[in-house]
Amino acid sequence: MLQRFMDQSSRTRYIYVNGVVAASHTHGVGEWTSSEVDAGPVTIGGESDGSAESTNRFQGQIDEVSYWNKALSQTEIRDLMCKSLIGSEPNLYGYWNFDGAGMGVNNVPDLSSNGLTGTMKNMNATEIVVSSIPLGTASAYSYPVSWAGFSLTLGSTSKGNMEVKTVSGTPVSVHIYRVDNVPNYTTGLSGLGNNNTYFGVFIVGGTSPTYTSVFDYSNYPDANTNEATLILNSRIDNSITTWADASATLNTGLNTLTKTGNNNRAEFILSNPSSPLPIKLLSFEANFNVDKVDLKWITASEINNDYFTIEKSKDLKNWEIVSNVSGAGNSNTTIEYLDVDYSPFQGISYYRLKQTDFDGAFTYSNIVPVRVEKKQSGEFSLFPNPLQSGEHLKIQFSEIIESEVLIVLRDTKGEEFFSKVVLNYEDKSLIAIPIDKTIPSGIYLVTASSENQIYNQKLIIKGSSNN
């Protein structure tokens, strides 16, 4: 993992590799000019024009690119190394995780709020591959002075904990990351059931490093049932399509699965081939239908089931709530549920089902991709954007809208702050709506839906100037 930063206060450029300074250079007072500006587009991995374009390209694969308007400290770099970004971190100027990337102009989405979409150049679609980057929802790490007695643990709420210990080969560091999602590939996983959490171990440097991994399933209720046939599966990284039994040693007294002699990095997930981890959901479907997405799921039985939450995402990292549907509580019969997303994302998006028990415990379904090809004959713009809470937001359509328009304002978690059907407005292309002073600062989504159109756009709201 490569990080490059320029510290203007000390006139020093730094290059970090895996959280360690690999090179630095401090400029003299006369050779440092912070106001220097180059014309043309910003490029990553190569030149965009000139004779040096073909010779100065980065010879490797690129993923999870972030651009900051400050020089991150070494601690900040290590904190972020194996953890995906939200997109709203302070001082983050641009973030491209390439999950939704495609060929063509502006087909690399920027997940920050700055809209700096990118274009991949000098490559073709076949060169877009599954990344092997060690990346999770959460991470823990250590760069110890000595490995004697070393132990590092990363936990989860209810799906077990991963510990790394007994490290040899004097590596530079150990990172553990946790992915709160079903793996991208599940081949070889027998009896995975509703387990949607796995762990990875990333070893930096060292000569033939080895370590012991311990998976503790004490806090995983489902795993404590018929635990005699539990298996710890492993693969090298996210790009490997098939998992294999890691041949870990099971200790039902300690509730652990231990694998010694691991070489370098690996990912681990729990399953039970003889007695699959309980799963009550028979199916979950999401299908595009004209201008909406129809959602359907079927349960074979339900125990202590409070409600379902339908969530959707454009990037598999940031999820929005579509709706909540009450569960049956306890049932031994097949139940079919139906719901509709009337405001789907344009293009490819993803849906999943979250099931929550009365005690607050929850599990996720598999993720279903949906391609929405809704035709839109126009666009709309928001101004001012950003705006101060308490001001009026103006929505300007690029065409005349004859029918009524439903305006909805939601935050990134799906919470609704404003919803109103507008019947009469100035010139049938301009709408003005008040933004309440109590709405907190943040990034919001404005959805305007008419009789046959759906428009979505981000809005940044700043705190009221009167506060």
Side-chain angles (χ1 to χ4, degrees):
M1 294 184 180
L2 177 69
Q3 301 92 12
R4 178 182 177 184
F5 293 98
M6 293 178 284
D7 187 343
Q8 293 191 20
S9 63
S10 64
R11 306 186 307 278
T12 303
R13 300 174 187 263
Y14 294 95
I15 294 178
Y16 291 82
V17 177
N18 292 326
V20 179
V21 176
S24 66
H25 175 72
T26 299
H27 295 260
V29 175
E31 60 177 317
W32 177 273
T33 304
S34 61
S35 61
E36 291 179 352
V37 177
D38 290 332
V42 174
T43 59
I44 299 172
E47 304 281 351
S48 62
D49 54 16
S51 59
E53 193 279 330
S54 62
T55 58
N56 290 346
R57 298 177 188 168
F58 172 67
Q59 302 297 312
Q61 296 175 340
I62 298 178
D63 194 12
E64 287 290 321
V65 176
S66 59
Y67 187 76
W68 303 77
N69 61 13
K70 61 166 282 188
L72 299 183
S73 67
Q74 188 175 64
T75 298
E76 289 173 318
I77 290 172
R78 292 173 177 179
D79 287 343
L80 297 171
M81 261 182 60
C82 295
K83 183 169 60 178
S84 57
L85 302 179
I86 298 173
S88 58
E89 287 80 359
N91 300 110
L92 179 65
Y93 191 71
Y95 175 40
W96 306 268
N97 67 4
F98 290 88
D99 288 357
M103 301 306 299
V105 177
N106 293 334
N107 267 0
V108 184
D110 174 19
L111 301 184
S112 75
S113 61
N114 295 312
L116 303 174
T117 56
T119 299
M120 291 188 287
K121 302 187 68 174
N122 301 308
M123 63 181 295
N124 55 57
T126 61
E127 294 175 298
I128 301 176
V129 298
V130 176
S131 174
S132 61
I133 186 173
L135 191 72
T137 311
S139 66
Y141 65 87
S142 181
Y143 288 71
V145 176
S146 171
W147 293 97
F150 172 81
S151 175
L152 178 66
T153 300
L154 178 62
S156 70
T157 303
S158 61
K159 294 295 177 69
N161 307 315
M162 175 61 69
E163 178 190 13
V164 172
K165 63 180 184 178
T166 318
V167 177
S168 68
T170 61
V172 175
S173 70
V174 169
H175 289 252
I176 305 176
Y177 56 95
R178 188 189 75 240
V179 183
D180 295 334
N181 215 330
V182 178
N184 56 330
Y185 299 111
T186 57
T187 303
L189 297 177
S190 177
L192 183 64
N194 66 352
N195 187 7
N196 58 358
T197 300
Y198 62 101
F199 294 85
V201 179
F202 180 52
I203 305 294
V204 177
T207 303
S208 301
T210 64
Y211 62 92
T212 295
S213 59
V214 181
F215 185 89
D216 185 336
Y217 57 89
S218 298
N219 74 338
Y220 193 171
D222 291 343
N224 285 274
T225 302
N226 298 320
E227 57 184 321
T229 49
L230 287 171
I231 284 179
L232 189 64
N233 305 274
S234 68
R235 64 178 180 180
I236 296 175
D237 58 55
N238 191 62
S239 67
I240 304 302
T241 61
T242 303
W243 295 78
D245 186 346
S247 298
T249 301
L250 174 66
N251 187 322
T252 56
L254 297 177
N255 294 340
T256 59
L257 283 147
T258 302
K259 171 63 177 176
T260 61
N262 296 290
N263 294 311
N264 217 315
R265 61 176 299 192
E267 295 183 339
F268 301 94
I269 191 168
L270 191 69
S271 70
N272 196 331
S274 298
S275 180
L277 303 181
I279 181 170
K280 309 173 186 71
L281 189 68
L282 291 181
S283 64
F284 173 60
E285 301 176 8
N287 298 291
F288 179 56
N289 181 11
V290 185
D291 60 352
K292 61 186 185 301
V293 172
D294 293 331
L295 301 148
K296 173 183 175 181
W297 63 100
I298 301 174
T299 60
S301 62
E302 296 180 30
I303 300 175
N304 194 34
N305 180 23
D306 189 3
Y307 62 93
F308 297 98
T309 303
I310 298 171
E311 299 178 347
K312 64 181 178 181
S313 171
K314 285 290 293 181
D315 57 10
L316 292 174
K317 296 182 184 298
N318 302 295
W319 294 86
E320 294 184 14
I321 295 176
V322 176
S323 63
N324 290 314
V325 178
S326 298
N330 295 285
S331 170
N332 292 318
T333 60
T334 300
I335 300 177
E336 179 180 296
Y337 293 86
L338 300 172
D339 203 1
V340 178
D341 181 12
Y342 290 101
S343 302
F345 295 130
Q346 185 79 359
I348 297 178
S349 58
Y350 306 87
Y351 289 81
R352 69 183 182 185
L353 187 68
K354 179 181 178 181
Q355 180 270 318
T356 303
D357 290 341
F358 287 111
D359 59 7
F362 59 87
T363 58
Y364 286 99
S365 72
N366 59 305
I367 295 174
V368 178
V370 175
R371 178 183 292 275
V372 174
E373 299 291 352
K374 181 174 178 57
K375 296 182 179 180
Q376 295 185 347
S377 56
E379 299 178 349
F380 78 151
S381 57
L382 307 175
F383 58 96
N385 189 7
L387 62 67
Q388 299 281 346
S389 55
E391 292 183 337
H392 275 72
L393 172 68
K394 293 184 178 181
I395 304 174
Q396 178 70 62
F397 294 90
S398 62
E399 60 181 357
I400 294 176
I401 308 297
E402 297 289 350
S403 61
E404 63 186 31
V405 177
L406 172 63
I407 306 296
V408 180
L409 177 69
R410 297 184 180 90
D411 65 11
T412 56
K413 296 181 180 179
E415 182 179 355
E416 189 174 291
F417 285 79
F418 180 93
S419 178
K420 184 177 181 180
V421 175
V422 181
L423 299 174
N424 300 305
Y425 40 98
E426 294 181 25
D427 60 0
K428 295 190 177 181
S429 65
L430 179 66
I431 298 175
I433 61 173
I435 300 300
D436 195 281
K437 291 183 179 181
T438 62
I439 295 180
S441 301
I443 300 174
Y444 294 78
L445 179 69
V446 176
T447 299
S449 54
S450 63
E451 187 174 74
N452 57 0
Q453 299 293 325
I454 295 178
Y455 306 86
N456 292 290
Q457 190 163 301
K458 285 184 179 179
L459 172 68
I460 298 175
I461 296 179
K462 297 182 178 180
S464 173
S465 58
N466 296 324
N467 290 342

